Amino acid sequence: MITRREFAAAAAGAIAASAAPKYQPRFAGQTYVWSQHFARLKQPLEAHRDEVLSAFHNAGYTEMELFTPFVAPEVAAGTYELLDKYKLRAPIVYFGGAMHTKEDADSTVTKALEFVERIQNPLRLQALNFNANPKPRSERKTDAELDIQARAIERLGAELAKRKVRLFLHQHAPEMAENAREWRHVLRNTDKRRVEICLDVHWIFRGGQDVMTLLEEAAPRLGSMHLRNSRNKIWTEELADGDVDYRAVARYLKQVGFRGWLIPELAWDNETQITRPLEENLRRSLEYTKSVFA
């Protein structure tokens, strides 16, 4: 038998557990590395969509974040057919554009909304993963330019919300400069109900910031994560243990009840040693992700 105090403590614990969000990640693939693969072969990515999507299917993926060339107007219909053929869903598509001047911001918001309206129904699109372009040569954006950018991102998020599409904000190394000045400016000046975060983990590391610190800051609005790793700062051909401690990342996500997408996004440096077919590296990356994060 248990005492009244033990019963009350157990009941309180059960209530707290039921109130906490349930950890339930989703797993998806990302097509970027194929653009590098075919660039090395001096062949257009669009001509190999069947090969790419069949490889993800064979490697065990069921959901995708598509790279923009897969849904260019002249090839989109064929991509939709291939997704059906290989039983793949593509709830997220990547898109980018300049946002730091009023003229650029207005143009990019218009193009992004037209893009979403064209692909939303065929893909049953759930989120647009958006990256605000850096200035030429990654020059520093002024405070005024960052204000314009934040307002434009907020406006894009609001317009997408009307269309029942989520906005994820992605980042690369330039946003990590000066203690993640640009990235933190957007967080401070946008509404988490309209602007969520796709945290690209290795770009945080490569940009000289602490992964766990930015993960904690992003957590209240974290919609997805791009996962890649390196050894001795050189990208590995598959997602595996390396410079970034993904086991620490996984522990934190389980603690906060993360329910978004975890997306192995492979990419290669010039020094990356390629020892396996890309399909095999996709499979191994998914298996690693599920073993660490599931």
Side-chain angles (χ1 to χ4, degrees):
M1 294 182 65
I2 64 173
T3 66
R4 187 177 302 170
R5 179 177 297 176
E6 289 169 336
F7 178 82
I15 293 171
S18 65
K22 180 183 178 183
Y23 176 68
Q24 193 172 353
R26 298 168 67 172
F27 302 96
Q30 223 283 354
T31 52
Y32 172 74
V33 69
W34 289 95
S35 66
Q36 293 185 303
H37 173 73
F38 289 113
R40 292 184 177 189
L41 298 175
K42 295 181 171 55
Q43 297 176 12
L45 172 64
E46 296 88 332
H48 295 275
R49 288 168 296 136
D50 193 309
E51 178 182 346
V52 172
L53 295 176
S54 68
F56 279 103
H57 168 78
N58 294 340
Y61 294 80
T62 58
E63 290 196 317
M64 300 293 305
E65 176 183 302
L66 290 181
F67 196 45
T68 313
F70 279 76
V71 287
E74 62 275 14
V75 301
T79 295
Y80 305 149
E81 292 176 0
L82 289 170
L83 290 168
D84 288 340
K85 175 181 177 180
Y86 293 114
K87 297 179 174 57
L88 294 168
R89 297 181 298 276
I92 312 173
V93 175
Y94 183 90
F95 189 85
M99 288 290 226
H100 57 277
T101 71
K102 185 179 185 307
E103 294 76 14
D104 284 338
D106 289 345
S107 174
T108 297
V109 169
T110 297
K111 290 177 181 177
L113 294 176
E114 291 173 349
F115 177 73
V116 166
E117 287 171 1
R118 179 170 61 81
I119 67 173
Q120 181 177 3
N121 288 337
L123 290 179
R124 293 189 284 277
L125 189 70
Q126 297 180 37
L128 184 73
N129 193 11
F130 179 81
N131 197 104
N133 287 355
K135 296 175 74 171
R137 299 177 297 279
S138 296
E139 298 168 29
R140 186 181 196 268
K141 294 175 183 175
T142 67
D143 291 346
E145 287 172 332
L146 290 182
D147 286 341
I148 292 170
Q149 178 170 286
R151 288 196 296 271
I153 291 170
E154 176 80 7
R155 175 157 54 101
L156 177 59
E159 290 296 328
L160 289 175
K162 295 176 184 177
R163 295 158 173 81
K164 294 181 170 44
V165 174
R166 299 159 70 184
L167 176 63
F168 295 165
L169 187 68
H170 182 270
Q171 99 293 328
H172 293 111
E175 296 92 325
M176 297 292 101
E178 298 181 60
N179 197 29
R181 168 177 170 263
E182 180 175 337
W183 186 82
R184 287 188 163 115
H185 185 279
V186 175
L187 254 67
R188 289 194 303 269
N189 292 281
T190 57
D191 189 330
K192 67 181 181 182
R193 295 171 297 179
R194 299 189 184 99
V195 181
E196 299 176 66
I197 297 295
C198 170
L199 206 64
D200 195 310
V201 177
H202 200 276
W203 281 117
I204 296 173
F205 174 80
R206 187 162 279 191
Q209 300 302 312
D210 180 69
V211 168
M212 298 306 299
T213 298
L214 267 63
L215 175 59
E216 290 179 14
E217 292 180 36
R221 56 168 79 184
L222 190 62
S224 69
M225 300 180 73
H226 281 181
L227 312 176
R228 183 185 309 147
N229 218 340
S230 60
R231 294 193 183 101
N232 299 319
K233 300 184 178 180
I234 297 172
W235 285 335
T236 51
E237 64 175 316
E238 63 177 321
L239 181 62
D241 288 341
D243 295 330
V244 175
D245 184 358
Y246 277 111
R247 298 177 193 280
V249 172
R251 286 193 295 271
Y252 182 79
L253 294 182
K254 292 171 184 176
Q255 175 185 329
V256 299
F258 176 69
R259 297 175 64 85
W261 282 272
L262 296 170
I263 305 172
E265 187 197 32
L266 302 184
W268 299 331
D269 288 315
N270 291 333
E271 303 85 354
T272 301
Q273 297 297 309
I274 308 299
T275 65
R276 306 182 198 92
L278 186 42
E279 182 179 308
E280 177 67 7
N281 281 323
L282 293 172
R283 183 187 63 78
R284 292 168 65 98
S285 298
L286 181 60
E287 289 176 352
Y288 173 85
T289 304
K290 289 185 174 181
S291 70
V292 171
F293 289 94

